[in-house]
Amino acid sequence: METGEGTEETPLPLALTRFQLSEEYGFLLPHPLTELPAPYGPWMEIAHDLPQLIASRRLRSQVHQMPQLSTRHLRGREELHLAHLVLSFITMGYIWQEGEEGSVKVLPRNLAIPFWEVSQALGLPPILSHADFVLANWRRKDPNGNLDTIISLPGGESLRGFILVTFLVEKAAVPGIKAIVRAIRAILQLDEETLQQALQELAEAIGDMSKALKRMHDYVDPAVFYAVIRIFLSGWKDNPAMPQGLVYEGVSEEPMAYSGGSAAQSTVLHAFDEFLGIRHSGESNAFLHRMRDYMPPPHRAFVEEIRRAPSLKQHVLSSGDAGLCAAFNRCVSALADFRSYHITIVTKYITIAAAKAKAGRAEPGDGAGPSAGKPPSALETKGTGGSHIFSFLKSVRDTTREGTISV
């Protein structure tokens, strides 16, 4: 899919519009559609009823009755993103309706073929990703600006909270994204004052992302996240519950393996890492680079453009400017702090929740319904993206800390 060209004869480096980024919303889709055109009513009908269909174990039979719809009536990026969101949520519900021990090996053609076609048009994989779950799955509920999700899965208010708090983290990052653009221009123009100001704004934005992430405690019940929500974000790569992957009927006779939704698919932290010159090690680096395949191609191109830009770290080192060096280190420290806090969240929502579930003390409430079942065990020590979660998160946090400049 085209990334869209800048209108200037000589486009400024990193002009946001060239990469489908919004001045107000950053990587979030600025105005997601909430309904598809009339021919796609059968998809929307199922999508809007997903929590009930999954809880009553009726989703698979509903999908089997779904007509085979052509994707040719979908027009423009917003319709494609909504179609991808709808089909990815239906797919996750279809796969995991019976829990990890009742997963299926084949996605039926009336779901697999359109999902594949929409994925190809967007340059996204045919699975639920961060781009669907968060970036394209929000709407304004009322004129006061209160937010809601467009499509849901089991997990009630906790699922809604999980999506919308993650939305707020993405929104908090926007001034930081714009600061990177200004900083790179400032490096090219040797404007140290603007550069230092941009670095200050980046550090503040990362701090605001940490504040937004703390709201997870207010809106998401750990027992519901662990026992109900998490399985629906799980993919079929590096997942013992689906070791062979998934056959997309009518697309390929061979099974395909894709990672589940993961915070590592958020373009924000990749952009910050490239800008600050943070180099992750070994397996962690390989996993993060693989997660870039789950981003919309224009967002991936933005990260690549930052990588190709003049090195901020080299510029700061060669400037010998103590103020610039301190501003750079504040950004790195803020990013390491954010990653440390993410480890705190994961400890609460996975490790502690897993221990309680094992002890039989977890009692998922929150409208989770009978789909709560028994908590999944296949990914006890792994993230939904398939990484060994704690070794990965700690490695990434530690290499971030090592990115500071010694004065």
Side-chain angles (χ1 to χ4, degrees), residues 81-304:
H81 271 297
L82 179 55
H84 201 274
L85 166 65
V86 162
L87 295 172
S88 66
F89 269 59
I90 294 172
T91 295
M92 300 319 256
Y94 184 90
I95 300 298
W96 301 116
Q97 172 182 290
E98 305 292 334
E100 67 184 5
E101 288 167 7
S103 62
V104 294
K105 293 178 179 171
V106 178
L107 196 67
R109 67 176 56 242
N110 57 347
L111 181 50
I113 291 173
F115 194 16
W116 178 262
E117 289 173 355
V118 171
S119 299
Q120 292 291 105
L122 284 170
L124 288 171
I127 192 171
L128 176 70
S129 68
H130 182 79
D132 306 296
F133 191 63
V134 177
L135 303 185
N137 191 23
W138 67 278
R139 62 185 177 87
R140 299 213 175 275
K141 194 161 58 171
D142 54 45
N144 300 325
N146 290 318
L147 299 173
D148 205 351
T149 55
I150 298 169
I151 309 295
S152 198
L153 282 162
E157 285 301 303
S158 284
L159 178 85
R160 186 171 164 273
F162 183 62
I163 294 171
L164 295 177
V165 168
T166 311
F167 166 94
L168 294 174
V169 174
E170 288 276 344
K171 187 81 163 56
V174 175
I177 297 161
K178 294 198 282 193
I180 288 177
V181 173
R182 274 208 309 288
I184 290 173
R185 287 178 194 163
I187 293 168
L188 292 167
Q189 293 161 1
L190 302 176
D191 180 351
E192 309 294 37
E193 190 182 334
T194 300
L195 177 56
Q196 195 160 330
Q197 188 184 354
L199 292 177
Q200 175 63 31
E201 286 168 15
L202 175 57
E204 285 173 10
I206 299 170
D208 288 341
M209 288 166 64
S210 291
K211 284 181 199 158
L213 186 57
K214 285 178 181 167
R215 298 180 70 177
M216 203 66 82
H217 301 293
D218 300 328
Y219 295 102
V220 185
D221 178 334
V224 176
F225 177 78
Y226 184 77
V228 183
I229 295 170
R230 201 159 171 259
I231 191 168
F232 293 104
L233 305 181
S234 302
W236 28 97
K237 181 179 175 66
D238 302 325
N239 185 346
M242 289 182 70
Q244 305 305 318
L246 179 69
V247 172
Y248 289 73
E249 191 181 45
V251 174
S252 166
E253 289 178 14
E254 292 299 312
M256 293 187 270
Y258 294 100
S259 296
S262 166
Q265 294 166 0
S266 169
T267 314
V268 169
L269 296 177
H270 291 256
F272 291 174
D273 278 345
E274 291 290 1
F275 177 63
L276 296 169
I278 289 159
R279 298 285 172 260
H280 298 294
S281 55
E283 279 183 33
S284 299
N285 189 52
F287 176 73
L288 283 168
H289 274 267
R290 189 157 60 73
M291 289 299 99
R292 292 185 185 181
D293 296 338
Y294 293 76
M295 298 172 186
H299 296 177
R300 204 183 314 149
F302 179 76
V303 176
E304 190 56 31

Side-chain angles (χ1 to χ4, degrees), residues 282-354:
E283 279 183 33
S284 299
N285 189 52
F287 176 73
L288 283 168
H289 274 267
R290 189 157 60 73
M291 289 299 99
R292 292 185 185 181
D293 296 338
Y294 293 76
M295 298 172 186
H299 296 177
R300 204 183 314 149
F302 179 76
V303 176
E304 190 56 31
E305 195 85 349
I306 294 171
R307 192 183 66 77
R308 287 200 297 261
S311 165
L312 167 68
K313 195 168 193 176
Q314 288 306 317
H315 181 84
V316 172
L317 284 166
S318 59
S319 75
D321 184 322
L324 209 51
C325 185
F328 175 89
N329 282 345
R330 276 195 295 273
C331 292
V332 175
S333 294
L335 190 54
D337 289 347
F338 178 83
R339 286 183 156 138
S340 281
Y341 197 73
H342 188 211
I343 292 170
T344 303
I345 291 278
V346 169
T347 302
K348 175 179 175 177
Y349 284 89
I350 295 179
T351 312
I352 297 171

Side-chain angles (χ1 to χ4, degrees), residues 16 42 57-58 61 83 96 125 183 199 227 270 272 307 354 358 369 378 395:
L16 294 181
R57 306 286 199 264
R58 288 181 297 127
S61 61
W96 301 116
L199 292 177
H270 291 256
F272 291 174
R307 192 183 66 77
K358 266 186 175 172
S395 157

Side-chain angles (χ1 to χ4, degrees), residues 33 38 51 56 63 71 74 86 148 214 219 271 298 301 349 394:
L33 295 178
S56 60
V63 167
T71 56
L74 294 166
V86 162
D148 205 351
K214 285 178 181 167
Y219 295 102
Y349 284 89
K394 285 174 180 170

